[in-house]
């Protein structure tokens, strides 16, 4: 029944605002890992938590089970966040992320 409850509950929580929106979306991502990129986008744009969004995207990139296309999309978004607000992205090693992405995604650079 998770596929019936979580979309409606997440919509409700996002309408309520912060911090409930972030908490519920984070909990949903524990069950539906494919929602993590959208969660990071929510954190960066609506909740203005760029550091937390960068941490979520870094987890997607490092996840062994995730698809390569998702990792590439997450890496590109993480690079955008690092360029837009470098002072807010202090929870990860930006240099290592960029170098690792260049090694992994050489065919797309």
């Amino acid at each position: 029944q998770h596929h019936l409850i979580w979309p409606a509950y997440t919509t409700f929580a996002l309408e309520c605002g912060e911090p409930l929106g972030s908490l519920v979306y984070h909990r949903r991502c524990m069950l539906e890992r494919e929602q993590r990129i959208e969660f990071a986008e929510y954190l960066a744009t609506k909740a203005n938590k760029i550091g937390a969004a960068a941490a979520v995207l870094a987890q997607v990139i490092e996840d062994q089970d995730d698809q390569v296309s998702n990792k590439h999309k997450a890496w590109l978004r993480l690079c955008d966040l690092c360029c837009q607000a470098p002072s807010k992205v202090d929870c990860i090693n930006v240099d290592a992320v960029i170098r690792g992405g260049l090694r992994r995604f050489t065919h797309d650079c």
Side-chain angles (χ1 to χ4, degrees):
Q1 294 179 352
H2 285 289
H3 66 282
L4 299 175
I5 304 259
W6 279 107
Y9 183 47
T10 305
T11 303
F12 167 75
L14 294 177
E15 290 173 359
C16 290
E18 287 298 311
L20 183 63
S22 293
L23 293 172
V24 170
Y25 218 143
H26 174 63
R27 191 62 84 166
R28 180 179 181 186
C29 288
M30 290 180 181
L31 293 170
E32 300 175 5
R33 298 176 67 77
E34 62 275 1
Q35 295 289 324
R36 291 182 296 175
I37 294 178
E38 288 80 13
F39 175 50
E41 193 63 35
Y42 168 77
L43 287 172
T45 56
K46 302 266 191 317
N48 200 23
K49 296 181 180 179
I50 295 174
V56 170
L57 291 171
Q59 288 174 353
V60 172
I61 294 168
E62 295 301 319
D63 191 2
Q64 299 297 325
D65 297 333
D66 224 334
Q67 297 176 352
V68 175
S69 62
N70 284 345
K71 289 182 181 189
H72 185 254
K73 183 178 175 182
W75 181 68
L76 290 174
R77 182 61 179 132
L78 182 57
C79 289
D80 287 343
L81 288 178
C82 292
C83 292
Q84 291 171 358
S87 62
K88 294 183 180 180
V89 182
D90 57 355
C91 59
I92 60 170
N93 185 350
V94 176
D95 185 41
V97 168
I98 291 174
R99 289 179 189 275
L102 288 173
R103 263 193 314 272
R104 276 189 195 149
F105 308 115
T106 55
H107 61 283
D108 294 323
C109 296

